[in-house]
Amino acid sequence: MGFLKRCLLYAEGAKPFLCRPVVRSCFLFSDFFLIITALYLLKPTSRSFFIENLGAEMLPYVWIGTALTMGTFIGYYNRLIVRRARLHVVLGSCMFFIILLLFFSAALAGMVDMPALVKASAAGYYIFVDIVGVILVEQFWSLSNAVHTAEEGKHYYGFIGTGGLVGGVAGGGISAFLLQKAHLDSADILLVAAGVLLLIFALTLFLGWLGVYDEVRAKDGQRGKEAAAGWRALFKNRYIGLIALLLLLAQLASPLVDYQFLSIVEQAYTDLDKRTAFLSLFFSILGGVAIAINLAVTPLVHRYLGVIAGLLVQPLLMGIASFGFFLQPVALMGAISKVSDRGLSYSINRASKEILYVPVDPVLMYQAKAWIDMFGYRLFKVLGSMVILLLTQWLPFKVQLPHLSFLIMGICGIWIAIIWAIRPEYYALARTNASGEEKSGGLS
């Protein structure tokens, strides 16, 4: 008993050191690493099980289902956040997700001899994984924002965010290794992911005990009011409206690229576990590409060519890759097209679009971002899914998979035009902000 007391006293005495910004950021790096590792263990299996049981042609329906489920779930989730301590919601979410993973693992492993239930489970599991990704990442940044000042965020958020990129590489790599070398099957990966979620639960509990995660309820209440008025911000300010259109065009093109990629994967890999292994390896490479671009390409482009050039990279390369897929609709070209979408979106495009917000009034920025993140992305993903269904299933004539590339190239063309339209406004605002800072600096 005396030894236990001494350990507790030592741990209490170590709290100030463990809560220092640098040490705290290392903990948060680890937490975000585990979250994205779990997500990228689950993501390949969700795609593979869905294709196995329902086929790639049904993907637009599950994307619409995801958006509708997310809309319903987010409303309940926001009410829960208001009523319960945020840390408790995170811990409860982890345990709830673990229980659901055990259910999906049993259903998809063939333990239940009911084909209809297995198909429903494959669709439900796909939606579940997408929701897990949104909720865990949102919870993580929500908790992180509560403990960092704006100045600390500038210093440590890049490092913390890199934990997620490394987690993407690790999750896909671990999944591929376990399937190919350890001879596990796709359903077993769900149990591995449940173990990672258990680690996240333990780490979050430890960080809560340290006092890292403090509630900032007043700030949240204010942000809730701002988010409610978010859509009006898009009409108040032409610059903000152009940013929104820019981001939503990317979301419109993404389902088309994803549909081409997963459809060609379905044709190339007919075995469930081989398909899952390929997708796992691909997502790992995708994360590696995003890290390489983030570290090596993005700083150089921003330094020597500017933010506008950074924004142009994704639509230009996506358009070229889509044309390549039209000429040669094989798995390799589908993978290149997918990398041009997600690999660039998670790296140079994300960094560039965040810089677009810098000259904007902070309140107006939050209003716009809240609306785009909460509603706009889902709305445009549904729209993209509807376009796919219209062209491939609902019209009397069917558009072939490679010909969807022309629509992607058209969206990329509009995307580039919007970037060019936003260019003079961004530079004008940046100059105004720079002169304002110089004046305030002179006064001080």
Side-chain angles (χ1 to χ4, degrees):
M1 190 67 180
F3 174 74
L4 181 59
K5 281 183 178 179
R6 283 196 297 274
C7 287
L8 289 172
L9 286 171
Y10 177 78
E12 287 290 337
K15 273 187 179 183
F17 170 77
L18 294 175
C19 287
R20 286 180 179 177
V22 174
V23 179
R24 184 176 62 204
S25 295
C26 290
F27 280 127
L28 294 175
F29 176 99
S30 302
D31 196 12
F32 199 36
F33 167 81
L34 290 173
I35 288 169
I36 304 302
T37 297
L39 180 60
Y40 275 81
L41 283 166
L42 296 173
K43 207 168 184 179
T45 58
S46 69
R47 275 60 179 164
S48 192
F49 274 119
F50 187 88
I51 290 172
E52 181 74 12
N53 290 282
L54 292 110
E57 70 276 2
M58 297 297 288
L59 282 166
Y61 290 104
V62 80
W63 291 335
I64 293 171
T66 299
L68 295 175
T69 305
M70 188 80 74
T72 304
F73 183 78
I74 287 295
Y76 170 76
Y77 175 77
N78 286 340
R79 288 196 296 272
L80 190 65
I81 284 291
V82 171
R83 295 173 185 171
R84 301 279 184 242
R86 192 173 301 167
L87 182 64
H88 295 163
V89 173
V90 173
L91 295 171
S93 298
C94 286
M95 294 310 299
F96 179 65
F97 292 154
I98 289 169
I99 292 168
L100 283 180
L101 277 176
L102 297 177
F103 165 76
F104 283 123
S105 177
L108 295 170
M111 294 182 182
V112 181
D113 189 19
M114 295 175 63
L117 178 61
V118 173
K119 286 187 176 183
S121 297
Y125 176 55
Y126 191 109
I127 293 171
F128 164 77
V129 170
D130 282 1
I131 290 176
V132 166
V134 171
I135 293 298
L136 288 182
V137 171
E138 188 277 334
Q139 286 178 340
F140 172 80
W141 285 114
S142 179
L143 288 172
S144 296
N145 290 340
V147 299
H148 284 99
T149 64
E151 194 61 32
E152 286 175 342
K154 290 177 185 177
H155 281 95
Y156 298 112
Y157 272 17
F159 170 70
I160 293 169
T162 302
L165 293 175
V166 177
V169 175
I174 291 168
S175 179
F177 174 81
L178 292 175
L179 289 163
Q180 294 176 334
K181 303 298 182 182
H183 305 296
L184 299 185
D185 59 33
S186 296
D188 294 329
I189 302 299
L190 277 69
L191 301 178
V192 176
V196 176
L197 285 177
L198 200 57
L199 285 176
I200 294 168
F201 177 91
L203 181 57
T204 305
L205 194 63
F206 175 67
L207 293 176
W209 172 77
L210 286 177
V212 166
Y213 293 137
D214 294 326
E215 296 287 332
V216 192
R217 292 192 178 276
K219 187 184 291 185
D220 290 344
Q222 179 61 31
R223 286 186 173 184
K225 292 175 184 177
E226 292 167 358
W231 65 271
R232 297 186 186 92
L234 304 181
F235 299 100
K236 286 180 184 176
N237 188 299
R238 181 175 181 270
Y239 179 72
I240 289 289
L242 287 172
I243 292 177
L245 192 56
L246 196 68
L247 303 183
L248 296 177
L249 278 171
Q251 195 66 10
L252 182 62
S254 188
L256 293 161
V257 174
D258 210 20
Y259 183 78
Q260 285 185 321
F261 172 64
L262 291 174
S263 295
I264 209 73
V265 167
E266 180 185 32
Q267 296 171 22
Y269 296 90
T270 55
D271 179 76
L272 171 65
D273 291 335
K274 288 181 179 178
R275 187 190 311 118
T276 305
F278 169 79
L279 288 171
S280 299
L281 186 60
F282 170 77
F283 282 123
S284 182
I285 293 171
L286 183 68
V289 169
I291 292 173
I293 293 171
N294 225 27
L295 296 177
V297 178
T298 303
L300 293 176
V301 170
H302 284 170
R303 177 174 294 181
Y304 296 109
L305 299 176
V307 174
I308 299 301
L311 289 168
L312 286 169
V313 171
Q314 186 179 355
L316 281 171
L317 292 186
M318 191 188 296
I320 293 168
S322 294
F323 184 65
F325 183 83
F326 166 72
L327 295 176
Q328 196 75 22
V330 295
L332 177 61
M333 288 309 304
I336 292 172
S337 187
K338 180 70 175 171
V339 169
S340 73
D341 175 27
R342 293 294 90 188
L344 295 174
S345 178
Y346 293 150
S347 53
I348 189 167
N349 192 62
R350 181 161 197 161
S352 300
K353 75 180 183 183
E354 292 301 327
I355 294 173
L356 284 182
Y357 284 112
V358 171
V360 180
D361 174 75
V363 173
L364 189 62
M365 177 192 70
Y366 189 85
Q367 289 175 342
K369 289 189 77 169
W371 189 91
I372 294 166
D373 294 345
M374 291 169 61
F375 304 108
Y377 277 177
R378 291 197 253 306
L379 178 65
F380 270 65
K381 183 134 190 181
V382 169
L383 182 58
S385 302
M386 299 284 281
V387 168
I388 294 169
L389 289 171
L390 183 69
L391 295 177
T392 62
Q393 297 181 34
W394 293 347
L395 289 176
F397 59 91
K398 303 293 185 289
V399 174
Q400 298 301 309
L401 189 67
H403 294 153
L404 290 175
S405 293
F406 290 108
L407 182 55
I408 297 170
M409 287 186 282
I411 293 171
C412 289
I414 299 170
W415 188 346
I416 290 168
I418 298 297
I419 292 171
W420 204 250
I422 210 171
R423 177 174 165 269
E425 299 206 22
Y426 166 73
Y427 287 131
L429 281 170
R431 282 193 298 270
T432 302
N433 272 29
S435 63
E437 286 176 6
E438 285 176 10
K439 288 178 182 177
S440 63
L443 288 170
S444 62

